[in-house]
Structure formats: structure tokens, C-alpha cells
Amino acid sequence: MKVTVWNEFRHEKESEKVRSVYPEGIHQHIASFIEDAEVTTATLDEAEHGLTEEVLNTTDVLIWWGHKAHDEVDNAIVDRVHKRVLEGMGLIVLHSGHFSKVFKKLMGTGCDLKWREVGEKERIWTVMPNHPIAEGLDEHFELEQEEMYGEHFDIPAPDELIFISWFQGGEVFRSGATFKRGNGKIFYFRPGHETYPTYYDKNIQRVINNAVRWAKPTTNGYPTYGNYQPLEDLSKGEKTDDL
Amino acid sequence: MKVTVWNEFRHEKESEKVRSVYPEGIHQHIASFIEDAEVTTATLDEAEHGLTEEVLNTTDVLIWWGHKAHDEVDNAIVDRVHKRVLEGMGLIVLHSGHFSKVFKKLMGTGCDLKWREVGEKERIWTVMPNHPIAEGLDEHFELEQEEMYGEHFDIPAPDELIFISWFQGGEVFRSGATFKRGNGKIFYFRPGHETYPTYYDKNIQRVINNAVRWAKPTTNGYPTYGNYQPLEDLSKGEKTDDL
Amino acid sequence: MKVTVWNEFRHEKESEKVRSVYPEGIHQHIASFIEDAEVTTATLDEAEHGLTEEVLNTTDVLIWWGHKAHDEVDNAIVDRVHKRVLEGMGLIVLHSGHFSKVFKKLMGTGCDLKWREVGEKERIWTVMPNHPIAEGLDEHFELEQEEMYGEHFDIPAPDELIFISWFQGGEVFRSGATFKRGNGKIFYFRPGHETYPTYYDKNIQRVINNAVRWAKPTTNGYPTYGNYQPLEDLSKGEKTDDL
Amino acid sequence: MKVTVWNEFRHEKESEKVRSVYPEGIHQHIASFIEDAEVTTATLDEAEHGLTEEVLNTTDVLIWWGHKAHDEVDNAIVDRVHKRVLEGMGLIVLHSGHFSKVFKKLMGTGCDLKWREVGEKERIWTVMPNHPIAEGLDEHFELEQEEMYGEHFDIPAPDELIFISWFQGGEVFRSGATFKRGNGKIFYFRPGHETYPTYYDKNIQRVINNAVRWAKPTTNGYPTYGNYQPLEDLSKGEKTDDL
């Protein structure tokens, strides 16, 4: 299994605070805890954002973290990632990646939400305990400080809703949701603001590892499309006498 | 449209506190605000719990409130209600009705949940704003005091999740959910503890009225089952030469 | 209720055969059977394709038929329609409209499928009889001659799957499917090849009329997004002692 | 992984024709092709139908084939299987098992359908190619002779619809469908009439093996229910001043 962790990698360069949490960048930290996979990273400022045809064609699951520079992601690369997801590559979209071009293109909706950054408590409840992405978790777990994301979250109704967040300030949010698109599987996972040590949390790491396993491509006869001859002999069919 | 409001009608007889909120019984109060329908009521202690064949056969939408006497509901009446829902009668299950025999029979699961009765605040968020059951509501509304119901709620994944509740004590709950079963439509709506004036709330009344309209039976060729002759002439089919 | 029927309106101009079926254009024919609504039409070759801001802003439900000129639909108009659907306008996409820019943008997938044009029989089965879009139909109905569309149909799993087609040549197809996106409701309905009199069929007309009623906008507090103050007093919350 | 294959095991004893296809019983044949698991079998005429507490408590996935003797399955054993599914045991229900007591209890609906036994052709189409249960399959595969099952199939809308069958005689059927209930995963798979060699088909065997892997229990903090203390300090909450 090959996993590529993509990060915008700008906050870490510009903010001392973020750098103090993720000195090597969020991507390097996420890459460090992915299990049972060959993990590489890619970032916005690399050529082709590090997402060349070759990299994507050999990636089984792509993890995406972006926030302040969504607009700088080249449309051609967005189309390339979109195409690869439809072909079967798994995609895990984290936190502010809800507003990335590729997630919006896959969802077909605005993907907007409410937000607040005061470091309040988030409590994440599992509402689909039998899902493999919830494997090994307790019924709920807490993050002492996170950015708030609140409903309405402008996404299609998820295929599966696994987690719902409670926020101290009074909001709720559909925090863990799966979507199947084309031949690929997508998981959106809410937590992960850059100024908090969210990706050091063992529960968060477990969810992401579970999601990587869940999102791996299915080996199948990739669907074909176009003009097809009948599988049945129409000339012998019931209607022949009438024609 | 004919609506029947069913109520266990025991709390009101036994508790001064409940009676002070609903002097005529919860059923009479609910019946009083249902719009554009011919509304009747039925209660546990009537013959056949007030749900005779005749009553059910002419009911388009049944509203169900029960709590402390679920076990006293006769299994034959449960089967009768269940059958009518599969035939097309709408069913709106309120609050503690989650544990009624008929809801459990329709869901196929335990329908259990967490609960707490300290009169904390509930804030109900709309997560599917385009659903007709959410018509006319703001993005969220509050009940100053309610019983808490918390996840995990042991139901099948709803066909549609319309509302999620935030509770002051730290829990979330899937508070408004639809389920299609057989030819019928079911809506579960969480609020409505007997000691609080929840059913006097204008938003609550609007949701219940919206749900009644949504749940009305679809007039259709009721599905038929059993042994059927082929619709195509198999003797002329492609395989004839081979047989 | 205001309904706008949009048609590419090219086949009818270029093909005697199509013109013999729909002399006034598919749009005029569809407009002629829509009930209980103020109906107007719009076509590709009008200014702004007939879909000005004013037209769209006053349209409750838009019906879309296109086939050979999807690429000629201006991207700005596609974005305008897309935005209006997310705001709440209903959208009914017919037949080859599966490949329209706006449907693909709303779905986020390729929307491709298999097809064959030999005039074989299609039998449409209702698999969700309790849905209002199936109101008044028998369990199945037939179209003696239609173009075949076959799986895999590259769409997200529908929110609701109402119809499945059987084709004489051996394929099946998810023929009637709903999708909620943003504040809007979408119904895709497969039949309607331009060379067959499909839109004269009473069952087809009934489905489209049912769908128009189902897709009408919900009047609600349109979701808002952005930076929000807490609804609860965080300074008084449990965590105050720790901060 | 422990798999138990349950079979009614009556047809094989009573019919020469069935015995010629499955000389050791359908259960032994299914058990013979399950991969990567410790497989045992159980049958109706064993004590407790072979489904003792001990057997069920150590079963990860139960496969169920029954047809003519559904009524002879003891209700206490049905309840035991139902409880184990809600606790997390996977359940794969085959063919005529759609009418088993345990499947009907889990679905909450009638589970009825149309049927015909003339040995016509079934063609099974994959409509969710990215699902692990479809792993390794082509876009469609055929069974030269099978019993027909036709819509309407009276089940809840599946959580995931993976396969749709085309029948020579003109019907369609939702042939492969998943349902999550409680902590358990359920897969219904249509083919497998006792007089045809369906379970010798390599595609059928692959689907069942895929389903076993998919249905294995998730290890989690099994949900708890009942009366709970608040997770937040309500006395310090915003509303304290008002109380």
C-alpha cells in the first residue's frame, strides 16, 4: 500500500506558533504515524505540487491537508487528482481541506460551514460503531482545544456518517463521513487545526490509520462505458413477431 | 387526511406535575395543533388501545407517544400497527416512543440510547435544510429544558437525517430521522419529555405538522408478491437453441 | 409554482424524424403536460440560453433536456444554474442530460454509462413504492422502444433509488434517482430518447409531474456560513478553572 | 476468523435432484470454499439448531441458508442470533433466507418478493464497483439457470446496493445489499436455488468470500446505554444565572 500525504505547507513556514507544533510540517508528522504502508509526502510549492502523474498513478491513498492557499492549487492538478479518485485512489480530506478545490469538485456542493477559533473543547461521538473507521475507539473522545466547525455543512448527505462532534460553544458537526465516487472512496475527517497538537492525539491517529485501510482501492474490472452490442439476441426476442 | 394521535396517557393521571403541563393529556394537546387534517385520539386504556382495525384502516398518519407502559401494549395491536405501516400508513414516533414495541419491530434493532433528566438545554440543528420536514425553521432552535438523549442511538442508519441535537451536558443525538418501510413512511422526533412544555413550542409544532404532511400515504399500485409468470416469452429467447 | 423547461432544441431542427415526433420541440411538448404550475420554456440558442438571472431567480423547478450540444452551454450559465440549485431550485434532469455540464458539476463524477440505440423494449420497475415520485404508478410499466442505458452509471449512490430499468438486450439501469444538494432537490429520470414518443406516455408524464411537485423549494432559513460567536458562554463553562 | 455456515439441510435429504447437486449438503459445500477462516457448520435438526450460545459467541460471521422450514426455527434461537448480530457478529443471508425469521426480524419489513422457478438466465450487474464485496469481479457475470426473484423486494432501502440482477423473463432485483444493524454488518445475496449448481460458480464463491471479510466484527468500545451523568459541569453553564 502506497500512501501520499499532501500538505499545503505554508502555515508552518510563516507562523512560529504552527512551527512549534509541527516543526517538520503537518505532512511529515502525519507520515510518521501511518502504519503498514509505504508513505511519501508532497507539498504545494513542489513542481506540480508534488503530484505528478507518476506519483498519483502509484498512490493507493492520498491524504490532503490545505487551508490558506486552496486557490494556488493548479486546476490541472485538481483535475488529475479528481480523475485518479474516480479511477479508484482513496482520498482522505482533513479539516480545512473541506474547502479544497478537489473536495468541492468531488462533492458538487459549496462545502461551506460555520467556524470559530477560540480553542474550545470538541467531543467526538461515534454514531456508527460497526464501521471499520471506528475500530478500536471508545464511544467518544475529546480534544481539549480545537477550532469549531458548525452546521450547516454544505455537503451531500454522506454515504456513511460515522462521527458527530459536540462543541463547547453550542454547535454540532458531522465530523467523520464517507463518500463513494466513481471507483474511489473518500473520507472527510474534521479535526486538525494547525495551531493545536491534534495530530498527536492517539485517537485521531487511529482514525486516520483506519481510514487509510478502508480507503484502499478495490481491484476490479474497472467499469467501461460507451456504445455496446446487446448481450441477448434481440432478433429472437418476444417482440420479433411484432416488428 | 386523517390523523390519529395515540398516547399512553398514564403520566398525566399519576403525576400532578405532568398534569399541570398537559391537563387534557399529551394526545389532546398534540391533536389541538395539527393543521389541515381530521384528528382523533386513542389511548392505551381504551378497548384495543383505541386502535381497532377500523380506526387504523382509515388513519393516514399515526402519531405515537408512549413511555412507561410500552410492555402493556398488546402484541396483536403492535402487529396491526406494523402491518398498517407496511401498507402505507405514516407513523410519527415521538420522544420515548423510541422504545415502543412497534418502533423496535420496524427498526429491527434495540433502539436504546443514553438519557438524563436534569432539565438541561437542548439546541436542535437542521442538517438537511431542503427537507420538507424542516420547512419554515431557522437553522437551529432551542428548548430551554429537556431530558437528554445521547448517542449511541441504536437504530439503522436513517434514510434521511434532518436534525442533530446539542445538549448542555456534552452529548449529541440524531434527533430527527426518516425511515421508509414497506409502503409507509416513518419519522422519529426526539423532543417531548412529559414534564416540560415542549409541545407548546412553535418550532416543535411546526416540525410535527410538516412531518404529518410528509408522511401521508402514497397512492400506488400496492406491491404484489408471490409466484409470477414471465413477462417475456422465454421460449423465443436467446437460450432456446441451447436447451 | 413556476416551472422552466429547458431544451437544447437542435435535434428537432436538424432531423425530420425527431421533428415528426416533437414538431414544436421537446420543451413545448413537456411544457404542455406539466400540471398546476406556470410553465415557460428556454432553449440553447436564446440569449443566455434563455436562463437569465431573472428567469432562474423566479424558477421553482427547472427541467433539463440536452444531448448533442452539451459543450455549447456556456460555463457562466452552468455556474448560474448550479448556484440556483444549491440555493433551493429543484432540478429534473432527463435522459441524455446525464452528460450535461450542470449535472456532472452537481454529481462530482463522470456520469458516464453504456448505451445502444436499436429501439428495444424498456420495462421500468418501481423499487421504492412509497416515494411521492412513484405516486399513481403500477409496479412496472413498459416503453416498447427506447434507447438502452446500461450500468455502470457513474453517479454517487443516490439518496433514493426509485426506479430500475430492465432492457431487452440484457442490461439494467438505475433509472429514477434523487439527490439533495445544498438547499435543492434533484431528480434524474432516464427515459426520453428524441426519436421515440416517450414523453407522450402517460406514466412518463405522471413521473415528471410527481417529480416537479417533489422538487419544489423548501422555504427555510437558508443556511449561513462563516465566522460565528459562541452560542454558549465559554467563560462560564467547565473549562474556566483550567484556562 | 471463525465462520459458521448454517443450513436448513432438508432439501438435500428429501430430493434426489438437490442431493445430486449438493451430496453433502449446501452447508458442507459452502464451507469447502470459504478462505482464510476456521469454518464449521450447523443445521436445523441439530440440538439448538447447532447454534448454541457457545457456538454463536465464538462466531465472527454466520452464513444462513434456509427455505422450506423457516417456521421450524425456534424463536429463542432466532432471538439469540439477532442479539449476536446487534453485538457485532456478521451475517450473510443467502437466497431464500430472505424469508428467514432472523432476517425479517432484523429488517423490520415483510421481506417478500416475486419468484418463478423455470431455470431462466440471471445476469448480475455490479453497480457499486468500489465496494470490497465486488472485489475481483467483472462488470457483470451470468448464471445460466436460476430461480427468478423480482421486485418489489420488501426490504428497507439498503445502506449499500452493490448488485442488480437482470432476468430473462423480464424482472430486475436488488441482488446484493448491505445493512448495518447495531454493532453488526449484514449482507444479503440473492443467488443460490437448491436445484442449480450456483455455489460452484467462481464468481459466486468470490462474492461470498469477499462478504465474509467485509462482515467481520469491528473491535470497538461496544456502545453503552442508560442513565448517564453530564460530561460537562452544568452548574457552571451559561444558564446558571437564570435558574
Side-chain angles (χ1 to χ4, degrees), chain B residues 30 33 43 60-61 68 106 118 135 147 151 162 164 174 177 181 183-184 205 207 218-220 230:
Chain B
I30 292 176
F33 65 73
T43 57
D60 291 307
V61 179
K68 60 187 297 181
L106 282 160
V118 298
E135 176 116 20
E147 185 184 5
E151 296 282 346
I162 304 174
I164 297 177
R174 290 170 290 172
R181 292 296 183 270
N183 215 14
Q205 295 181 1
V207 169
T218 300
T219 305
N220 58 19

Side-chain angles (χ1 to χ4, degrees), chain D:
Chain D
M1 170 115 79
K2 290 198 179 184
V3 175
T4 301
V5 183
W6 191 89
N7 181 17
E8 190 179 277
F9 198 29
R10 290 281 176 85
H11 286 288
E12 298 92 328
K13 291 173 182 166
E14 296 169 14
S15 154
E16 181 94 29
K17 187 174 178 187
V18 177
R19 200 159 49 236
S20 73
V21 184
Y22 298 110
E24 315 287 323
I26 286 176
H27 53 300
Q28 292 297 352
H29 181 66
I30 292 176
S32 75
F33 65 72
I34 301 296
E35 300 162 355
D36 305 324
E38 185 179 325
V39 186
T40 56
T41 66
T43 58
L44 180 63
D45 293 330
E46 297 174 44
E48 302 184 46
H49 311 324
L51 299 173
T52 61
E53 292 276 4
E54 194 189 341
V55 164
L56 284 177
N57 287 344
T58 58
T59 294
D60 292 306
V61 179
L62 177 66
I63 298 176
W64 191 279
W65 197 102
H67 183 208
K68 61 187 296 183
H70 292 313
D71 284 350
E72 295 181 44
V73 179
D74 191 80
N75 287 339
I77 306 299
V78 171
D79 290 349
R80 189 185 285 171
V81 173
H82 181 261
K83 177 169 169 287
R84 272 291 294 151
V85 172
L86 299 186
E87 284 173 5
M89 182 181 73
L91 179 67
I92 297 172
V93 176
L94 297 174
H95 190 61
S96 41
H98 75 91
F99 243 18
S100 62
K101 287 180 180 175
V102 71
F103 188 64
K104 291 202 288 187
K105 189 177 175 81
L106 282 160
M107 296 295 103
T109 56
C111 299
D112 212 342
L113 44 77
K114 294 184 177 62
W115 60 273
R116 176 173 61 240
E117 197 185 329
V118 298
E120 70 206 270
K121 186 197 292 184
E122 174 177 15
R123 183 177 292 110
I124 295 175
W125 290 90
T126 299
V127 297
M128 192 175 273
N130 51 28
H131 199 283
I133 293 181
E135 174 115 24
L137 296 176
D138 285 335
E139 290 190 272
H140 65 82
F141 64 93
E142 296 181 7
L143 298 167
E144 281 309 305
Q145 289 198 304
E146 251 294 350
E147 185 182 5
M148 182 283 292
Y149 278 7
E151 295 283 345
H152 178 248
F153 184 18
D154 185 17
I155 49 171
D159 293 340
E160 298 167 311
L161 177 60
I162 304 174
F163 304 117
I164 296 177
S165 288
W166 176 98
F167 285 98
Q168 198 177 357
E171 287 85 1
V172 297
F173 196 74
R174 290 170 290 171
S175 274
T178 74
F179 306 88
K180 291 196 175 71
R181 293 294 183 273
N183 215 14
K185 304 185 193 78
I186 302 163
F187 177 60
Y188 175 78
F189 191 43
R190 198 215 75 81
H193 191 62
E194 67 273 7
T195 59
Y196 306 116
T198 298
Y199 296 120
Y200 290 85
D201 183 274
K202 292 303 176 194
N203 288 306
I204 295 291
Q205 294 182 2
R206 185 179 283 262
V207 169
I208 294 173
N209 270 299
N210 288 345
V212 165
R213 274 187 290 272
W214 169 84
K216 73 166 187 285
T218 300
T219 306
N220 58 19
Y222 185 71
T224 56
Y225 304 105
N227 193 356
Y228 273 72
Q229 292 304 307
L231 296 157
E232 301 292 319
D233 184 350
L234 294 176
S235 68
K236 289 185 184 164
E238 178 202 26
K239 302 311 297 172
T240 2
D241 297 347
D242 312 338
L243 293 176

